């Protein structure tokens, strides 16, 4: 049994949640009118021309025997619609700064090929292009987020892409779009101006990129999107706070709709460890890296606050997720990895961080949607499975566009080899029908945790629960056992006169619903 005395760790990066070792974790929820709404776009995804994400993943072509709509797999469309994905980022990633969109329009047989320099050196035939992607987004009922080419593209090229997709009047680009079979513009709202400009996007300094950004943004006219297009700057590499500082200082706020941040949970970039065959120590290191997200959004947010106290500029964590060694026997450039309970815990904890920072974090994109890194969907020829991460995103979808209920608590600690992490992670919201949702994660791989939440003043009485867990942390859904890990009914709680007492098992993700 754990000791009941308090060892209080106040982390500098978090003023709401402190960490202490004690028997029961008391979680307090605040029904605060001034609390922000959790932007549904926090639950966004990312699809790059990388490995089998697009080709052999989403897109099999319209001559495939696999059931498809205009070449896009019907099973993937159905699974992602079920997930209510709010937005999808495309075509990269690093690929975006090598992509010339005009190569991917017009008759497929006339499209030029290129070599995918970043990802496996494979030949890209451009058979999946602008129309294919934007029509697919319509099928999915999701907002497209296009990443423009700054690294090897021109200002004119990106300005033309905006006109091609968004202008309904007569213009060279809208005429070309119509000639290619699409009369009405798609009205794309989200536009990235380059990707990882500090690295694969051109190895630029922050100062240089800020200048490039201003130039590109100037010519990306807001043709007729009534709400205006959102221009998004390529953000920092993890904790490069200087990058954020320089961009916020040098880009006029009226040109800056959003600023990205990329952070992957990785044990060590030179020794990432296997996606399935990992030890508890490796799990701990992955979670240590994943939970750094709290510090990143807090510190980048504080810099943004200095220049934008009204929080008009969105923070977008437009690449996040776990990154391991590729599955044995697969192309190292394709970044194909399995997805275990470790990924479920990682996803639940990270989404709790985003929810709790909903005042600034307005979008996030899990990397990547299909067959790449922390995917929600894996395919093997005609077979398709959903991963534990998919199920976490699905049970968390209740938070989309719901009002945040700020949480405060002292987390117990999860200790491995003398190092500690907060064991419990939580976030909560109230939806427009008045239902309350509380999502809880127990990061601890060995110990269950007892949590108490006072729900008396929340205006709800009846609670139900859903849990994602499994016998082993290393468990995953395979093509032979696709439903090993799925959400099940959670009964490990009791409502004692308005006090919810919850026992959350090790490495599990729970969502409670109160109505
Ligand atoms: O998601 C894989 C790669 O990771 C992306 O292409 C790049 O932006 C990042 O470094």
């Amino acid at each position: 049994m754990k000791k009941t005395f308090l060892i209080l760790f106040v982390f500098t990066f978090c003023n709401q949640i402190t960490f202490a070792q004690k028997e029961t974790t008391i979680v307090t929820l605040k029904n605060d009118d001034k609390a922000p709404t959790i932007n549904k776009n926090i639950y966004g995804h990312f699809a790059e021309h990388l490995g089998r994400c697009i080709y052999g993943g989403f897109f099999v072509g319209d001559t495939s025997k696999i059931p498809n709509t205009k070449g896009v797999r019907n099973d993937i469309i159905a699974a992602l619609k079920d997930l209510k994905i709010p937005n999808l980022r495309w075509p990269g990633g690093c690929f975006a700064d090598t992509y010339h969109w005009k190569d991917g329009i017009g008759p497929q047989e006339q499209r030029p090929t290129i070599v995918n320099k970043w990802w496996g050196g494979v030949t890209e035939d451009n058979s999946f292009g602008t129309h294919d992607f934007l029509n697919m987004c319509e099928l999915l009922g999701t907002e497209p987020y296009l990443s423009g080419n700054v690294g090897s593209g021109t200002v004119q090229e990106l300005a033309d892409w905006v006109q091609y997709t968004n202008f309904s009047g007569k213009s060279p680009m809208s005429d070309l779009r119509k000639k290619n079979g699409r009369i009405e513009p798609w009205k794309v709202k989200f536009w990235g101006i380059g990707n990882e400009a500090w690295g694969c996007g051109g190895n630029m300094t922050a100062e240089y990129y800020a200048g490039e950004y201003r130039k590109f943004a100037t010519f990306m006219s807001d043709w007729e999107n009534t709400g205006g297009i959102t221009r998004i700057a390529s953000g920092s590499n993890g904790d490069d706070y200087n990058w954020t500082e320089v961009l916020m200082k040098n880009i006029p706020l009226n040109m800056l709709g959003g600023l990205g941040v990329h952070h992957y949970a990785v044990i060590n970039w030179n020794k990432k460890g296997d996606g399935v065959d990992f030890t508890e120590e490796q799990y701990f290191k992955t979670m240590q890296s994943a939970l750094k997200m709290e510090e990143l959004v807090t510190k980048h947010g504080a810099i943004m606050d200095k220049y934008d106290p009204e929080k008009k500029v969105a923070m977008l964590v437009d690449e996040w997720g776990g990154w391991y060694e590729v599955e044995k026997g697969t192309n190292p450039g394709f970044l194909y990895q399995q997805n275990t309970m470790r990924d479920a815990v990682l996803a639940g904890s990270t989404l709790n961080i985003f929810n709790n920072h909903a005042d600034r974090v307005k979008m996030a994109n899990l990397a990547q949607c299909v067959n790449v890194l922390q995917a929600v969907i894996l395919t093997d020829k005609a077979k398709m499975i959903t991963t534990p991460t998919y199920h976490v995103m699905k049970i968390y979808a209740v938070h989309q566009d719901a009002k945040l209920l700020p949480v405060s608590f002292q987390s117990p600690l999860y200790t491995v080899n003398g190092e500690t992490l907060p064991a419990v992670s939580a976030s909560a919201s109230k939806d427009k029908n008045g239902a309350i949702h509380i999502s809880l994660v127990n990061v601890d791989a060995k110990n269950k945790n007892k949590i108490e939440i006072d729900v008396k003043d929340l205006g709800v009485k009846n609670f139900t629960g859903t849990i994602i867990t499994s016998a082993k942390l290393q468990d995953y859904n395979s093509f032979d056992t696709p439903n090993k890990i799925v959400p099940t009914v959670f009964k490990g709680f009791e409502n004692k006169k308005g006090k919810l007492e919850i026992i959350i098992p090790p490495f599990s993700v729970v969502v409670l619903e109160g109505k």
Side-chain angles (χ1 to χ4, degrees):
M1 185 182 270
K2 286 179 195 160
K3 293 180 180 155
T4 49
F5 63 84
L6 212 69
I7 307 165
L8 198 62
F9 283 72
V10 180
F11 283 57
T12 49
F13 57 82
C14 177
N15 57 15
Q16 284 285 314
I17 303 164
T18 51
F19 307 120
Q21 187 153 2
K22 56 194 295 235
E23 215 166 55
T24 300
T25 302
I26 313 283
V27 174
T28 307
L29 302 186
K30 214 160 97 200
N31 207 348
D32 178 358
D33 281 349
K34 291 197 201 91
T37 294
I38 298 171
N39 195 313
K40 66 176 180 185
N41 285 317
I42 283 176
Y43 291 81
H45 290 264
F46 172 35
E48 181 166 11
H49 286 232
L50 192 177
R52 293 189 303 113
C53 183
I54 299 294
Y55 302 110
F58 276 102
F59 189 67
V60 286
D62 57 8
T63 55
S64 170
K65 287 201 179 94
I66 298 172
N68 66 81
T69 305
K70 292 190 180 151
V72 180
R73 288 178 74 130
N74 291 345
D75 51 1
I76 293 189
I77 294 171
L80 293 180
K81 278 180 89 162
D82 235 20
L83 202 53
K84 299 193 173 81
I85 70 162
N87 69 76
L88 188 59
R89 179 173 182 249
W90 176 83
C94 294
F95 181 77
D97 282 290
T98 63
Y99 184 62
H100 300 283
W101 68 271
K102 284 181 186 159
D103 292 349
I105 55 170
Q108 280 188 352
E109 60 290 352
Q110 287 170 25
R111 296 183 190 174
T113 57
I114 57 162
V115 173
N116 193 332
K117 158 182 161 65
W118 295 112
W119 306 117
V122 293
T123 300
E124 157 72 57
D125 68 3
N126 279 304
S127 53
F128 188 86
T130 299
H131 290 247
D132 311 280
F133 175 71
L134 294 177
N135 292 341
M136 179 176 97
C137 287
E138 286 183 342
L139 284 175
L140 292 169
T142 199
E143 286 274 356
Y145 168 12
L146 295 180
S147 291
N149 181 346
V150 169
S152 71
T154 63
V155 172
Q156 185 65 53
E157 195 179 347
L158 187 47
D160 281 353
W161 205 10
V162 183
Q163 191 184 79
Y164 188 88
T165 58
N166 285 9
F167 189 54
S168 65
K170 188 164 173 51
S171 75
M173 288 302 115
S174 43
D175 286 351
L176 184 58
R177 182 190 69 236
K178 288 174 193 164
K179 190 175 147 226
N180 287 329
R182 172 79 187 199
I183 307 300
E184 290 305 318
W186 290 276
K187 302 203 171 182
V188 178
K189 188 168 176 208
F190 299 115
W191 290 88
I193 302 188
N195 168 73
E196 298 195 349
W198 41 264
C200 64
N203 282 308
M204 302 175 204
T205 62
E207 288 78 6
Y208 182 82
Y209 173 68
E212 286 293 278
Y213 178 96
R214 293 169 64 130
K215 189 170 65 182
F216 275 76
T218 302
F219 295 96
M220 293 166 71
S221 302
D222 171 20
W223 296 105
E224 36 191 293
N225 269 332
T226 42
I229 60 170
T230 303
R231 297 171 184 81
I232 299 155
S234 159
S236 75
N237 179 15
D239 59 6
D240 181 356
Y241 299 112
N242 179 56
W243 185 271
T244 298
E245 183 87 46
V246 171
L247 264 49
M248 289 301 296
K249 194 162 154 188
N250 289 296
I251 301 174
L253 291 188
N254 64 2
M255 296 180 93
L256 189 61
L259 177 55
V261 174
H262 286 185
H263 174 63
Y264 285 97
V266 68
I267 295 172
N268 177 330
W269 282 107
N270 299 317
K271 224 175 164 193
K272 296 189 275 293
D274 196 85
V276 171
D277 187 11
F278 56 89
T279 61
E280 190 185 345
E281 281 77 16
Q282 286 174 309
Y283 164 70
F284 184 89
K285 292 281 172 206
T286 305
M287 288 311 301
Q288 205 169 38
S289 175
L291 295 179
K292 192 175 160 126
M293 190 66 86
E294 173 69 41
E295 178 185 330
L296 294 176
V297 294
T298 303
K299 288 191 176 170
H300 284 296
I303 296 167
M304 293 175 80
D305 285 351
K306 233 167 62 181
Y307 298 92
D308 171 34
E310 288 175 46
K311 298 187 196 285
K312 288 195 169 142
V313 179
M315 185 193 296
L316 294 90
V317 186
D318 46 12
E319 287 187 30
W320 68 274
W323 192 321
Y324 317 114
E325 300 296 351
V326 299
E327 275 275 284
K328 288 185 192 74
T330 64
N331 186 329
F334 282 13
L335 309 185
Y336 178 80
Q337 64 191 39
Q338 248 302 349
N339 197 291
T340 65
M341 272 308 301
R342 167 170 63 175
D343 297 279
V345 172
L346 192 164
S349 318
T350 307
L351 292 169
N352 281 343
I353 294 171
F354 296 154
N355 287 347
N356 289 329
H357 286 272
D359 60 335
R360 180 65 84 176
V361 179
K362 303 288 180 192
M363 193 193 281
N365 302 81
L366 176 63
Q368 299 192 5
C369 201
V370 180
N371 291 332
V372 171
L373 298 174
Q374 192 175 341
V376 289
I377 288 174
L378 300 176
T379 65
D380 180 12
K381 302 188 186 79
K383 291 184 187 167
M384 186 210 85
I385 56 170
T386 51
T387 65
T389 302
Y390 174 94
H391 296 298
V392 172
M393 296 290 271
K394 191 160 175 200
I395 66 171
Y396 271 54
V398 289
H399 291 302
Q400 291 189 19
D401 285 341
K403 198 162 185 61
L404 180 75
L405 295 172
V407 293
S408 53
F409 62 100
Q410 297 174 328
S411 174
L413 298 173
Y414 169 39
T415 308
V416 171
N417 294 337
E419 287 194 275
T420 56
L421 281 178
V424 172
S425 142
S427 68
S429 67
K430 187 178 197 166
D431 73 15
K432 55 179 186 308
N433 302 317
I436 303 288
H437 295 100
I438 307 167
S439 41
L440 299 163
V441 182
N442 185 9
V443 176
D444 197 315
K446 290 190 291 272
N447 302 301
K448 58 188 177 204
N449 268 296
K450 193 170 165 196
I451 296 160
E452 190 184 291
I453 310 177
D454 193 333
V455 290
K456 272 199 296 294
D457 300 330
L458 297 177
V460 290
K461 282 208 168 74
N462 301 315
F463 278 84
T464 51
T466 308
I467 186 166
I468 297 173
T469 194
S470 195
K472 282 185 10 220
L473 193 48
Q474 291 79 1
D475 282 348
Y476 60 93
N477 290 339
S478 71
F479 291 97
D480 296 328
T481 54
N483 296 319
K484 191 179 182 88
I485 299 166
V486 288
T488 55
V489 174
F490 177 63
K491 294 213 165 116
F493 69 95
E494 238 184 300
N495 190 349
K496 291 192 178 161
K497 294 190 183 144
K499 278 206 170 140
L500 281 187
E501 283 184 9
I502 308 147
I503 306 277
I504 176 164
F507 59 90
S508 59
V509 180
V510 164
V511 173
L512 296 170
E513 177 174 77
K515 278 185 170 165

